[in-house]
């Protein structure tokens, strides 16, 4: 056993070694490769509106977040929805596009819009993304027992009056790319559901279409179906504005 007189220098030396070892700089951790689509925590999440269940305040939130391009883009980015802004333009005195862009794929879902890459306002893209995730896709699984793989539509921008100019001089929301005309869906099991064929039947397909129409009324400012007039016999008119009309 070492005597106290011989043990003290050893303890002192050991203490110096421990102190110096704490001062040695460790090499930095290797950088992790970044993803082109940030995670939910990394993305500039404004409110997670696309992943929020529909309620009585959804339409007001769409208007609030959608009217500001920066906030709207942040919502879509957080939900991994591709949206590419385009410069504002004025085509005629009444037709053009402001705070808009091209809506691409929603990387959080399997359903793809046909035709793809649709030009519309960011507010319309936000409303459509909520409707797709919170209504259309879950309703198809619940009522029809299959996933939606394709969403068929008739476009967004069209420089025209309402009702295709029949009996009205009022400018359509399509003239500002603030509406989309939905025609139907295609399911993973091969079935095709259309407003034209299935709306007026007493079938699960009709129940599905009416469910997503009713949900759309809580997201979009104006939602029009075949129940409104003959002009809409083959589509749902989904208008992302601050109006309040559902039929």
């Amino acid at each position: 056993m070492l005597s106290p007189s011989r043990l003290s220098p050893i303890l002192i030396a050991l203490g110096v070694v421990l102190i110096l070892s704490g001062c040695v700089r460790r090499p930095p951790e290797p950088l992790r490769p970044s993803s082109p689509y940030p995670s939910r925590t990394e993305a500039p999440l404004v409110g997670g509106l696309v992943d929020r269940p529909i309620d009585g305040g959804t339409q007001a939130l769409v208007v609030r977040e959608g009217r500001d391009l920066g906030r709207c883009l942040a919502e879509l980015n957080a939900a991994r929805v591709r949206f590419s802004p385009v410069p504002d333009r004025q085509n005629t005195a009444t037709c053009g596009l402001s705070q808009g862009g091209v809506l691409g794929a929603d990387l959080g879902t399997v359903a793809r819009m046909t035709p793809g890459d649709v030009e519309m306002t960011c507010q319309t893209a936000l409303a459509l993304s909520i409707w797709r995730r919170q209504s259309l896709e879950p309703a198809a699984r619940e009522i029809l027992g299959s996933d939606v793989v394709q969403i068929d539509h008739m476009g967004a921008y069209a420089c025209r009056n309402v009702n295709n100019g029949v009996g009205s001089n009022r400018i359509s929301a399509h003239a500002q790319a603030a509406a989309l005309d939905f025609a139907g869906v295609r399911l993973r099991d091969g079935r095709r559901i259309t407003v034209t064929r299935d709306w007026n039947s007493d079938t699960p397909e009709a129940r599905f279409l009416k469910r997503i129409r009713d949900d759309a009324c809580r997201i979009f400012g104006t939602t029009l179906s075949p129940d409104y007039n003959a002009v809409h016999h083959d589509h749902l008119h989904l208008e992302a504005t601050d109006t309040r009309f559902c039929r």
Side-chain angles (χ1 to χ4, degrees):
M1 183 173 180
L2 296 175
S3 65
S5 60
R6 297 183 62 186
L7 186 60
S8 296
I10 295 174
L11 292 175
I12 293 171
L14 180 60
V16 171
V17 170
L18 291 175
I19 292 171
L20 291 176
S21 66
C23 297
V24 176
R25 297 186 64 183
R26 298 176 181 176
E29 294 184 2
L31 294 175
R32 298 177 181 176
S34 60
S35 167
Y37 300 101
S39 69
R40 297 300 173 91
T41 56
E42 294 169 335
L45 182 60
V46 175
L49 193 51
V50 175
D51 285 325
R52 171 177 166 167
I54 303 166
D55 59 29
T58 300
Q59 197 250 343
L61 287 172
V62 168
V63 172
R64 188 188 75 185
E65 302 299 324
R67 65 161 55 105
D68 180 271
L69 184 59
R71 293 171 69 90
C72 182
L73 290 173
E75 288 282 3
L76 294 174
N77 178 64
R80 300 177 69 225
V81 176
R82 285 179 169 171
F83 187 80
S84 304
V86 299
D88 291 356
R89 67 171 186 267
Q90 191 70 32
N91 296 337
T92 70
T94 55
C95 300
L97 178 63
S98 176
Q99 298 199 53
V102 176
L103 177 63
D106 181 341
L107 300 182
T109 70
V110 297
R112 295 293 177 258
M113 297 183 66
T114 302
D117 296 334
V118 195
E119 197 172 58
M120 61 184 67
T121 65
C122 190
Q123 184 167 312
T124 304
L126 179 59
L128 281 169
S129 299
I130 297 168
W131 183 64
R132 174 165 51 187
R133 285 204 195 174
Q134 302 302 321
S135 175
L136 186 142
E137 293 188 9
R141 288 190 291 268
E142 176 188 336
I143 299 173
L144 303 175
S146 186
D147 287 325
V148 174
V149 296
Q150 182 172 305
I151 301 170
D152 297 322
H153 67 89
M154 301 174 180
Y157 177 77
C159 186
R160 60 175 175 80
N161 293 345
V162 300
N163 294 334
N164 291 320
V166 178
S168 177
N169 293 320
R170 185 162 55 90
I171 299 299
S172 170
H174 286 288
Q176 287 81 43
L180 182 107
D181 287 342
F182 163 86
V185 298
R186 297 170 192 256
L187 305 180
R188 189 182 298 280
D189 62 15
R191 281 179 290 169
R192 184 182 182 190
I193 317 301
T194 68
V195 175
T196 303
R197 184 184 64 233
D198 297 307
W199 183 267
N200 291 314
S201 60
D202 183 17
T203 62
E205 289 78 9
R207 291 197 297 275
F208 162 74
L209 290 172
K210 291 178 171 64
R211 164 81 68 83
I212 64 174
R213 187 274 309 271
D214 293 345
D215 286 342
C217 291
R218 299 191 291 165
I219 302 170
F220 296 88
T222 294
T223 300
L224 304 176
S225 72
D227 290 346
Y228 179 57
N229 61 18
V231 174
H232 296 85
H233 74 281
D234 57 355
H235 68 277
L236 302 181
H237 171 86
L238 307 172
E239 182 178 321
T241 55
D242 58 0
T243 52
R244 288 279 187 175
F245 190 78
C246 172
R247 181 70 183 276

